[in-house]
Amino acid sequence: MSDKQEVPLNSPSMEGHHCTVGLRLEKLGMVQFFQGLTEQQLHSVNSKFTANHYERGVTIYRQGDPATMLRVVVVGSVKLVSHTMDGNDVLLDMLQPGEFFGNPMADSKHVYSETAETQTSACILSIRLSDFREVMNGYPSVAMSVLDITTDRLNESRQRIQHLSRLPVKKRIAHILVTLGNKFGEKHRLGLLIQLPLSRKDLADMAGTSAETTSRIMSQFQDEDLITSGRQWIAINNKPDLLRISAED
Amino acid sequence: MSDKQEVPLNSPSMEGHHCTVGLRLEKLGMVQFFQGLTEQQLHSVNSKFTANHYERGVTIYRQGDPATMLRVVVVGSVKLVSHTMDGNDVLLDMLQPGEFFGNPMADSKHVYSETAETQTSACILSIRLSDFREVMNGYPSVAMSVLDITTDRLNESRQRIQHLSRLPVKKRIAHILVTLGNKFGEKHRLGLLIQLPLSRKDLADMAGTSAETTSRIMSQFQDEDLITSGRQWIAINNKPDLLRISAED
DNA sequence: CGGTATTTTGATTTAGCTCAACAGACGTGG
DNA sequence: CCACGTCTGTTGAGCTAAATCAAAATACCG
């Protein structure tokens, strides 16, 4: 794999500041579904959250646990994984700061249908579902925003069903790379760098294929100068052509 | 295929009564998300809907059309299909009376991301999205119910991603049969009859496989007395074993 | 009864999986 | 700073599930 540079990722720095509700929620303030709220309102809602810091690779909750909390990523990133009985994983989603996870409408009978794990060290806010329900009742704009996001996620999810059903692995991976680039990409001398530790297996679990096949395809893309990649990182050099590959025919 | 009986499906009868808003919405009254409303409220909401009757196999809207309406199935069933560029189809969902379809949160820029087609003759209610937004604002319980349903659909959709990613075709089809049986099944001397015209290709488009492979697997299931099936219909004789097949290992 | 759409079945091909070995990269402790 | 062990990624070879291609058989429709 010729000349591989040092790891180019910035790890999300918690340096100095603690992961506290006050600091973080206000500062970033832009948790998707709290957009429309006033300073006042934000403050009252804010008080219902608890903040937690997690190291990289830590499990936040497990598939099958009672679904009691709704969570929001403040710093870092979180992946949602579903484990199959035969030991395979499916990577359902990767979340950025500002995004929520956990079933917002679960009642006491529900359990989480996936496992949530930090992908970098992270700061996560939690709110009890009963409290969140009150928030949605008190501020209908929050409920609408949650509905909006959930609808978008459903659409993404259905697109993925389409891809898994009808596209060959190469196109699926090309598409995933473009999507990740759009969501997590940052300009960098190496190209559009995906700011996340991302292994071949992660990619494979997103594409519904094996790590070996993923590796082969990534090597191909690398040979064609579409990407630059090393251990746990990927940069996109030619997004238009990747897009073309994912859609052509 | 030995002894094939006459087609055992009941086609949804529109006999006599027209497909009108008043008659249908009130009578069935149980459109999922209008549950909590009073007679009064139902009546006012009701007036914003338009009713339409469609023959079997008719396209209600097409993937890519501007998403202007939200629709509810009153009688009959509707399938949501996504067409791929290479002429393959993916069957995303099949809807029963009481279920809604069309993007509830679309704004003027959105287009439908799938095609909606009647699977039987059907009566469909439509409401303009701007009106539906008002309804949700006026009756927060409606918005909550829509969110609840959308969350459930997201979870189903993710389960399907799992299956497509990691299960062999036989297990996927077994699971789909069980699911269809639960949703559309009616007791019948032949077994749990799925009350829908359902071709091998439909099943294939749900399982992300080819019609030929689907046919082979259905023949196998038939040989093992798990199902009885003819042209466009399926009855389930042994749900427990089908479930076992879908989950075993 | 003839025509069309659906389903079945067979034969062949192939994309992608699995198994296996190896090679780089990273981290750690001496 | 180097040596070692452990992950992560690469590459090869063979195998298999499922696709594709092709044809016949069956069911439905007027």
Side-chain angles (χ1 to χ4, degrees):
Chain A
M1 205 96 292
S2 52
D3 53 316
K4 204 53 49 54
Q5 294 83 347
E6 74 291 358
V7 177
L9 296 182
N10 306 325
S11 41
S13 54
M14 305 260 58
E15 352 101 347
H17 39 274
H18 319 274
C19 175
T20 63
V21 178
L23 200 87
R24 298 263 128 246
L25 184 63
E26 313 261 16
K27 200 169 175 192
L28 296 177
M30 23 50 77
V31 173
Q32 295 167 307
F33 46 68
F34 292 149
Q35 288 297 351
L37 303 195
T38 66
E39 199 72 22
Q40 266 287 4
Q41 295 171 328
L42 239 183
H43 201 74
S44 90
V45 164
N46 205 352
S47 66
K48 305 193 175 178
F49 280 93
T50 305
N52 278 104
H53 179 259
Y54 297 88
E55 288 307 315
R56 174 172 173 197
V58 169
T59 296
I60 301 170
Y61 59 75
R62 232 172 279 277
Q63 182 174 176
D65 290 351
T68 57
M69 308 288 266
L70 189 77
R71 290 179 170 85
V72 177
V73 181
V74 176
V75 178
S77 70
V78 169
K79 60 182 181 184
L80 303 183
V81 183
S82 165
H83 306 289
T84 65
M85 53 226 125
D86 58 318
N88 277 133
D89 292 339
V90 177
L91 209 168
L92 295 171
D93 206 353
M94 295 185 23
L95 306 168
Q96 267 190 324
E99 294 191 286
F100 77 86
F101 61 107
N103 184 338
M105 298 301 277
D107 63 29
S108 57
K109 286 189 258 303
H110 281 83
V111 296
Y112 294 116
S113 54
E114 74 286 324
T115 294
E117 184 182 326
T118 54
Q119 195 151 22
T120 63
S121 71
C123 172
I124 308 287
L125 298 183
S126 311
I127 185 173
R128 289 197 304 135
L129 278 177
S130 51
D131 290 339
F132 189 66
R133 197 169 290 256
E134 275 174 36
V135 171
M136 288 199 287
N137 287 333
Y139 309 105
S141 78
V142 174
M144 289 312 240
S145 179
V146 170
L147 175 55
D148 201 17
I149 294 163
T150 305
T151 302
D152 286 347
R153 289 181 181 175
L154 177 58
N155 282 329
E156 285 163 27
S157 175
R158 286 180 166 173
Q159 194 190 26
R160 202 165 148 193
I161 286 175
Q162 237 211 63
H163 290 181
L164 286 165
S165 295
R166 303 301 183 194
L167 295 186
V169 175
K170 185 172 173 181
K171 292 186 182 189
R172 301 209 298 267
I173 291 183
H175 181 265
I176 288 169
L177 289 173
V178 172
T179 305
L180 288 174
N182 289 337
K183 182 164 178 182
F184 298 98
E186 287 178 20
K187 282 210 174 57
H188 187 279
R189 71 191 156 80
L190 294 171
L192 188 64
L193 179 67
I194 295 169
Q195 272 296 351
L196 270 185
L198 194 66
S199 69
R200 296 293 183 259
K201 177 168 188 313
D202 288 328
L203 224 40
D205 290 346
M206 278 189 260
T209 185
S210 67
E212 293 93 328
T213 296
T214 303
S215 175
R216 283 180 239 274
I217 286 170
M218 293 295 278
S219 298
Q220 240 183 285
F221 287 162
Q222 183 124 253
D223 290 346
E224 298 165 23
D225 284 320
L226 299 171
I227 62 170
T228 312
S229 161
R231 192 194 179 85
Q232 309 249 49
W233 63 268
I234 302 167
I236 296 178
N237 302 322
N238 190 340
K239 191 160 86 173
D241 275 358
L242 276 176
L243 242 182
R244 213 162 291 134
I245 288 174
S246 80
E248 81 195 351
D249 268 13
Chain B
M1 206 96 295
S2 52
D3 53 317
K4 204 53 49 54
Q5 293 83 346
E6 74 291 0
V7 178
L9 298 181
N10 306 325
S11 40
S13 54
M14 305 262 55
E15 352 102 348
H17 38 272
H18 319 274
C19 176
T20 63
V21 178
L23 200 88
R24 299 263 128 246
L25 184 63
E26 312 262 14
K27 201 169 173 191
L28 297 176
M30 25 49 76
V31 173
Q32 294 166 307
F33 45 68
F34 292 149
Q35 289 297 350
L37 303 194
T38 67
E39 200 73 22
Q40 266 287 5
Q41 296 171 327
L42 239 183
H43 202 73
S44 88
V45 164
N46 205 352
S47 64
K48 305 192 174 177
F49 280 93
T50 305
N52 278 103
H53 179 260
Y54 297 88
E55 288 306 316
R56 175 174 172 192
V58 169
T59 296
I60 301 171
Y61 60 74
R62 232 173 277 278
Q63 184 175 174
D65 291 351
T68 58
M69 308 287 267
L70 189 78
R71 291 180 170 83
V72 177
V73 181
V74 176
V75 178
S77 69
V78 169
K79 61 181 179 183
L80 304 183
V81 183
S82 165
H83 305 290
T84 64
M85 54 225 125
D86 58 318
N88 276 132
D89 292 339
V90 177
L91 209 167
L92 295 170
D93 207 353
M94 295 185 24
L95 306 169
Q96 266 189 325
E99 294 191 285
F100 77 87
F101 61 107
N103 184 339
M105 298 301 277
D107 63 29
S108 57
K109 287 190 258 302
H110 280 83
V111 296
Y112 294 116
S113 53
E114 74 285 325
T115 294
E117 184 182 326
T118 55
Q119 195 151 20
T120 64
S121 72
C123 172
I124 308 288
L125 297 183
S126 311
I127 185 173
R128 289 198 304 135
L129 279 177
S130 51
D131 289 340
F132 189 67
R133 197 169 290 255
E134 274 173 36
V135 170
M136 287 199 288
N137 287 333
Y139 309 105
S141 79
V142 173
M144 289 312 240
S145 180
V146 170
L147 175 55
D148 202 17
I149 295 163
T150 305
T151 301
D152 285 347
R153 288 181 181 175
L154 177 58
N155 282 329
E156 285 163 28
S157 175
R158 285 180 168 175
Q159 193 190 28
R160 203 165 147 193
I161 286 175
Q162 237 211 64
H163 290 181
L164 286 165
S165 296
R166 305 299 184 196
L167 296 186
V169 176
K170 185 171 174 183
K171 291 186 183 192
R172 300 208 299 265
I173 292 182
H175 182 266
I176 288 169
L177 288 173
V178 172
T179 305
L180 288 174
N182 290 338
K183 182 164 178 181
F184 298 98
E186 287 178 19
K187 282 211 174 56
H188 187 277
R189 70 193 156 79
L190 294 171
L192 187 64
L193 179 66
I194 294 169
Q195 271 297 351
L196 270 186
L198 195 65
S199 69
R200 295 292 182 260
K201 176 169 188 312
D202 288 328
L203 224 42
D205 290 346
M206 277 188 262
T209 184
S210 68
E212 293 94 327
T213 296
T214 303
S215 175
R216 282 181 239 273
I217 286 169
M218 293 294 278
S219 298
Q220 240 185 285
F221 287 162
Q222 184 124 252
D223 290 347
E224 298 165 23
D225 284 320
L226 300 171
I227 62 169
T228 313
S229 161
R231 191 194 180 86
Q232 310 250 48
W233 64 268
I234 302 167
I236 296 177
N237 302 323
N238 189 341
K239 191 159 85 172
D241 276 357
L242 276 176
L243 242 183
R244 214 160 292 134
I245 288 174
S246 79
E248 80 196 350
D249 270 12

